[in-house]
Amino acid sequence: MWWAEFNHDGPGFVPFGPAHLLVFAVVILSCACLLIWRRPLRRSQAFQKTFCWTAAAFLLLAEVWLHTWYVLEGVWNIRFALPLKLSSFAWMAVVAMLLIKRPSFWTAFAFYAGMTSAFLTLIFPDVDDYGFPHLRFLHFFMTHGLLIIAVFYKLIIERAPVTFRSLFAVWLVMNVLAAFVFLVNSLTGGNYMYLMEKPPSPTPFDLLGEWPYYLIALQPLAVGLFILMYLFYYYAVKRWQ
């Protein structure tokens, strides 16, 4: 990965080590608190306004923070620094979801595409050897963890609905975005959304074959994961709304 080229003499990343497990604990505990205190939090306009604006501002400032580090380190490059990763589209959708109170497509995109990718990415993080407390570690896990918490907040506290039909709209939009990103990759030599090659670290991509076969296999896999997410919403989340 691109950041593997730069010197790093700090602690290395340990999969499912103490720092990695702490991320899971914080996300689970945060979601549990939202669930336990959902009734008083639903009545608190002050909490809802504060949460939405704080979470949206954090995601925006985290992106500024990361790009500032790129520039200060002299490593900013169009091959990897554009906001064209799936996680980039996801956090943009989450910001829109938080700031738009009425039900919108952004909620569906954040739930199906964002939450699904965040779950998988937290389990199989692509941070090379950057461990806690390096900026790369903090940025990666804080933004992905907040994405899950923010979507859970939207579903539980604001009781935003998610429909089965919307998963196909999200899948279609993802393919449109992928086509655009593929063009950008071809022009810049980048690998946004891993459309040109698989991640270097162990991920489920490794089970799907080589390029371009894993891209084809991702199509039904994405739909299948979205269906599982909807079942999770219908049978586990909806009862608490």
Side-chain angles (χ1 to χ4, degrees), residues 55 59 81 103 153 156 205 218:
L59 290 170
Y153 158 86
I156 295 298
F205 280 82
L218 278 173

Side-chain angles (χ1 to χ4, degrees), residues 76-128:
W76 195 99
N77 192 293
I78 197 172
R79 291 184 298 113
F80 60 77
L82 297 177
L84 296 177
K85 306 177 184 70
L86 180 55
S87 59
S88 301
F89 295 125
W91 73 253
M92 292 178 197
V94 168
V95 169
M97 174 196 75
L98 291 171
L99 300 183
I100 299 175
K101 287 301 178 182
R102 64 183 183 277
S104 67
F105 172 77
W106 301 115
T107 302
F109 191 93
F111 175 72
Y112 285 117
M115 208 170 189
T116 302
S117 64
F119 274 133
L120 293 174
T121 304
L122 287 183
I123 297 172
F124 304 100
D126 187 10
V127 292
D128 200 70

Side-chain angles (χ1 to χ4, degrees), residues 52-187:
C52 289
W53 282 99
T54 301
F58 182 90
L59 290 170
L60 291 169
L61 290 175
E63 193 69 10
V64 173
W65 179 33
L66 179 64
H67 283 267
T68 300
W69 179 71
Y70 287 159
V71 173
L72 293 177
E73 292 293 315
V75 300
W76 195 99
N77 192 293
I78 197 172
R79 291 184 298 113
F80 60 77
L82 297 177
L84 296 177
K85 306 177 184 70
L86 180 55
S87 59
S88 301
F89 295 125
W91 73 253
M92 292 178 197
V94 168
V95 169
M97 174 196 75
L98 291 171
L99 300 183
I100 299 175
K101 287 301 178 182
R102 64 183 183 277
S104 67
F105 172 77
W106 301 115
T107 302
F109 191 93
F111 175 72
Y112 285 117
M115 208 170 189
T116 302
S117 64
F119 274 133
L120 293 174
T121 304
L122 287 183
I123 297 172
F124 304 100
D126 187 10
V127 292
D128 200 70
D129 196 37
Y130 285 83
F132 180 85
H134 194 275
L135 180 147
R136 275 295 305 156
F137 179 98
L138 295 175
H139 176 273
F140 184 91
F141 285 106
M142 290 170 68
T143 53
H144 285 79
L146 180 57
L147 190 155
I148 293 174
I149 296 168
V151 175
F152 195 78
Y153 158 86
K154 191 73 175 182
L155 299 179
I156 295 298
I157 305 302
E158 295 191 14
R159 292 183 276 193
V162 175
T163 65
F164 182 76
R165 181 186 304 176
S166 62
L167 77 84
F168 297 102
V170 172
W171 177 81
L172 179 61
V173 168
M174 284 183 61
N175 276 276
V176 172
L177 290 172
F180 169 72
V181 171
F182 185 88
L183 177 61
V184 175
N185 284 337
S186 300
L187 295 174

